[in-house]
């Protein structure tokens, strides 16, 4: 599960940075790399980013319920 969590966090970071570029410069990096927003590969990346966000709801819920942020454990 740790590997899945790391991969999904990386995808969420990529998605967040992409949205930052869209907001600041109206530039969609994913679309420009993979051939436009309607290109199959770009749509797959968008879907993977969205699924990653859904996946991370689980660890977020566990963190909220435990009142402890995992990064703060020693």
């Amino acid at each position: 599960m740790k590997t899945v969590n790391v991969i999904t966090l990386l995808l969420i970071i990529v998605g967040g940075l992409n949205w930052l570029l869209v907001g600041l410069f109206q530039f969609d990096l994913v679309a420009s790399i993979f051939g436009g927003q309607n290109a199959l590969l770009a749509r797959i990346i968008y879907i993977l980013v969205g699924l990653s966000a859904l996946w991370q709801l689980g660890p977020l819920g566990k963190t909220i319920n435990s009142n402890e942020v995992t990064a703060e454990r020693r």
Side-chain angles (χ1 to χ4, degrees):
M1 287 299 209
K2 182 179 178 181
T3 303
V4 174
N5 285 336
V6 170
I7 291 170
T8 57
L9 281 172
L10 288 173
L11 283 169
I12 291 170
I13 291 168
V14 166
L17 292 173
N18 192 57
W19 276 111
L20 175 67
L21 291 172
V22 169
L24 290 176
F25 306 112
Q26 296 179 350
F27 177 71
D28 188 339
L29 182 62
V30 172
S32 68
I33 290 173
F34 296 109
Q37 287 184 337
N38 293 324
L40 180 61
L41 206 48
R43 292 175 54 108
I44 290 170
I45 299 298
Y46 296 139
I47 289 168
L48 289 174
V49 169
L51 290 173
S52 296
L54 291 175
W55 178 268
Q56 285 299 320
L57 289 175
L60 176 63
K62 290 177 186 174
T63 299
I64 291 171
N65 288 335
S66 71
N67 292 324
E68 178 182 4
V69 177
T70 304
E72 293 177 355
R73 286 188 205 153
R74 292 200 172 178

